[in-house]
Amino acid sequence: MSATDLLANTLSPDANTRQDATAKLESASRENYPQYMLMLSSVLAGEDGPLHVRNAAGLALKNALSARDTARQQEYSNRWLSLPSETKGKIKQDALVTLGSASQKAGNFASTVVAAIAAVELPQGHWPELIELLLGFVNNLTNTNLKISTLQTIGFICETIKPEILSLRSNEILTAVIHGARKEETSPEVQLAAIHALYNSLEFVRENFEREGERNYIMQVVCEATQNTSVAVQVGAFECLVRIMGLYYDKMALYMEQALFGLTVVGMKHSDERVALQAVEFWSTVCEEEVDLALEAQEAQDYGETPETESRHFAKIALPEIVPVLLHLLTKQEEDAEDDEWNVSMAAGTCLSLLAGAVQDNIVPAVIPFIEAHIKAEDWHQREAAVMTFGSILEGPDPAVLTPLVDQALPLLIDMMTDPNPHVKDTTAWTLGRICDLLIVCIKPDVHLHPLVSALVGGLGDSPRVVANCCWALMNLADQLGLYYEEEVERPGSGPLSPYYEGVVQALLRVTESASNEANFRTSAYEAITSYLSHATPDAIVVVQNTLLTILDRMERLLAMQNQIIGVDDRNNWNELQSNFCSVVIAVIRKLEKGIQPLSDRVMTLVLRLIQAAGKTSTVLEDAFLLVGSLASALEAGFAPYIQAFLPFLYPALKAHEDTQLCTVAVGIIGDISRALGEQSAPYAESFMTVLLENLQSEVLNRNVKISVLSCFGDIALAIGQLFEPFLETTMAVLKQAGAVEPNPLDYDLVDYVGQLREGILEAYTVDILLSYAQDILNLIQRCLADEERTDSLMRLCYGLLGDLADSFPGGQLKQLLLHPWIASELRSKNRMPPETKKTMRWAREMVKTATQ
């Protein structure tokens, strides 16, 4: 079979043909990588070849050069760089020539290949002539396709490569891109490619944005492009403005005043929805930025500091202009819009919610006249828009401002659950859910609860979307009333929902009997059941127990159907139901605690059958393992009879290094079992420690799982006390090595990881530790407290560990170490400290004082 036929077959509608062709290509890639890459580049460059085959070749080339996974990307990069120079040269030449192909689409395919090669070579200092070549192509006056593909290539390169690698060429790159985006450019296709390239390079040109003259010119070109005759260019220009606002908010005051206010308000009214969507997105971005800046300002004020960037309050200034447009767009709903179809009405609702967060109380007088005028309108579009507006402003303004409005609106909204229009009912259920979630104090049990619960339970027989929102509202009602009354009264025997418990849970169980899960309504019903069971007061415990029996019966029936599963849909349905069952059972176990004991044999038998039936379906395994962990925590020593049956399933999960989530859960189970059994877990400690140390040495295992492993050492040590001694030396060596890791301050992901790593180490250290390790522990505490990026939780752990250490040796054994000046300095009160951290620090100070007397 020829290369062309093979590539064509990778796009075949027949799954078997497609899989066979893909397998053969992968085999060719492994057996003769140089020949494989040359074959692909030859097909890509072949002007006579079918376009879809050239596309497949370009995609295969790109996929052979780039990967999302860091380790795999390194492997791909090394493989490419080890190719002979002439082979690499031929592939590059083919890709560069194809940029100017007579077929513009072929040029698009080639642009991704050139960018993928550049992402590998430029950081290594290879292919230094590339940028010069590309700039020459952009200035080509005869081949428009070449200009378009080259601009795309430049955009892709700027998006994937760190700016410092090409810092010397950034001015030339920006000049080339801006030149193509100018209104003087005669080809709309070139303008569009240039605008997209500019979008991709906006972070890349940060230094240029710092210079006022260059910034003015960039903004001028982008603003002019919003008025282009090509709608596609207008959309691209507004996309640029959205990203510019997100990246350079602090530089936007002048441009907002001179152009952006007007341009974006007019853009929101554009007849083409694609333009209107981006203009609305611009204001959503403004609001998001200003909400973040308000939080930063509050934080700075709490610490007596000045915020780095101050809000310009663009949203508040523009409120009179943008609110009427957004409210008008809310009435543009489509009768038969798909759930996942993003339209201007949805965008306007999202923007209004963000606006409420940004301008807070000011949103209320701006929208109330619209709500009052339209909430009883004949036209369903206006009724739905009025309810959507009300639901969208419930987070942001002061609850004291909203409370009288909600009091007034609640009876009307409850009545609207019987509205003849399904869209109005759907939005009403969502709004009631928001009220339950955000303003539970407005729901007076003696006035509102009966009609509200009745309306929401009545909605459970409606269309899937309405059912999903009614379930969500019922869940919020249980969660928020539960939290509210748990805070008010210590362990109340009864609650405002008590009279409704049986009726609501039974109604939700009826919903979950459906074979369908359209709009996720069945899952929403299970989530609501879980909330009701979690917050059940003592007088509703019978409902909890009966629901558990119902769910266990369902689990048994579904497990018996395991062999009848046909096809992917059946399997997904089975998996999702089992996960829902596990969530409900976990909630019951946490509620009943040791009261689960009479049913624990049945629960454990079912969960072990589920683990066997799940095979390698990690989501179901994760949920099953979490159920086992909650059962261990509830039964404590009573879990011992089940360990031998469970361990054969636990160890394979611990060794599934490529499955991050499953491995993390499995590590957590070791902690759960150790804590539950205490010293009784000692016989298993050696095998636990062996597998955990293997995990730390794995090169495949995600580094975040390794943090969990370190914390788990602490759980095991706390559980078995003195019996941990055989593992102490190895554990301390590992912790010392991990504690010495210092991040590159510019690598934010690594800084975050090292912070979490240190928390894991500190948690592991929190045990009765031998004297000889005290210096290592104190060194780590000093390093953590000296880190400018330290978090409050890290500081609390440091102070807690320092106090533990001093408390463990009150007889003066650590006196000299604890008298070191840095310890006294760190234990002085600081203003910038949350109360919990300060409390821990004061306790540590007392412990150190006692240990050094």
Side-chain angles (χ1 to χ4, degrees), residues 114-134:
V114 175
I117 298 172
V120 173
E121 294 217 353
L122 294 181
Q124 304 296 323
H126 300 179
W127 211 3
E129 70 278 15
L130 173 64
I131 300 302
E132 197 70 50
L133 282 168
L134 294 177

Side-chain angles (χ1 to χ4, degrees), residues 426-460:
D426 182 27
T427 303
T428 302
W430 172 77
T431 300
L432 288 171
R434 295 261 292 170
I435 291 170
C436 292
D437 186 29
L438 300 166
L439 292 161
I440 196 68
V441 290
C442 294
I443 296 172
K444 298 177 177 63
D446 52 339
V447 178
H448 301 126
L449 212 48
H450 187 269
L452 175 62
V453 171
S454 301
L456 293 174
V457 169
L460 295 178

Side-chain angles (χ1 to χ4, degrees), residues 37-38 41-42 44-47 54 61 80 85-101 110 113-114 117 121 127 129-130 133 137 146:
M37 297 294 277
L38 285 167
S41 78
S42 174
L44 174 68
E47 287 292 308
R54 297 174 76 185
L61 272 169
W80 168 262
S85 297
E86 58 272 19
T87 304
K88 286 188 289 192
K90 173 71 169 66
I91 296 165
K92 290 177 191 173
Q93 187 60 29
D94 283 346
L96 289 170
V97 166
T98 310
L99 289 175
S101 170
V113 176
V114 175
I117 298 172
E121 294 217 353
W127 211 3
E129 70 278 15
L130 173 64
L133 282 168
F137 291 169
L146 179 61

Side-chain angles (χ1 to χ4, degrees), residues 167-244:
S167 58
L168 297 176
R169 310 304 295 265
S170 63
N171 289 338
E172 295 165 86
I173 291 169
L174 180 62
T175 301
V177 170
I178 288 292
H179 190 269
R182 293 175 316 145
K183 62 182 180 184
E184 291 79 9
E185 171 57 57
T186 53
S187 163
E189 290 82 6
V190 170
Q191 283 181 311
L192 182 60
I195 281 289
H196 286 164
L198 178 61
Y199 177 89
N200 285 333
S201 59
L202 281 168
E203 281 194 78
F204 184 84
V205 297
R206 190 172 288 277
E207 282 190 24
N208 304 85
F209 245 87
E210 292 295 327
R211 295 190 278 271
E212 187 181 357
E214 292 179 44
R215 184 170 68 244
N216 288 345
Y217 188 47
I218 296 168
M219 292 302 295
Q220 180 190 329
V221 169
V222 175
C223 288
E224 286 171 352
T226 64
Q227 307 304 300
N228 196 285
T229 53
S230 160
V231 171
V233 173
Q234 289 181 44
V235 173
F238 274 111
E239 285 175 343
C240 279
L241 288 178
V242 171
R243 196 162 190 205
I244 287 168

Side-chain angles (χ1 to χ4, degrees), residues 454-468:
S454 301
L456 293 174
V457 169
L460 295 178
D462 215 298
S463 66
R465 280 181 56 169
V466 174
V467 174

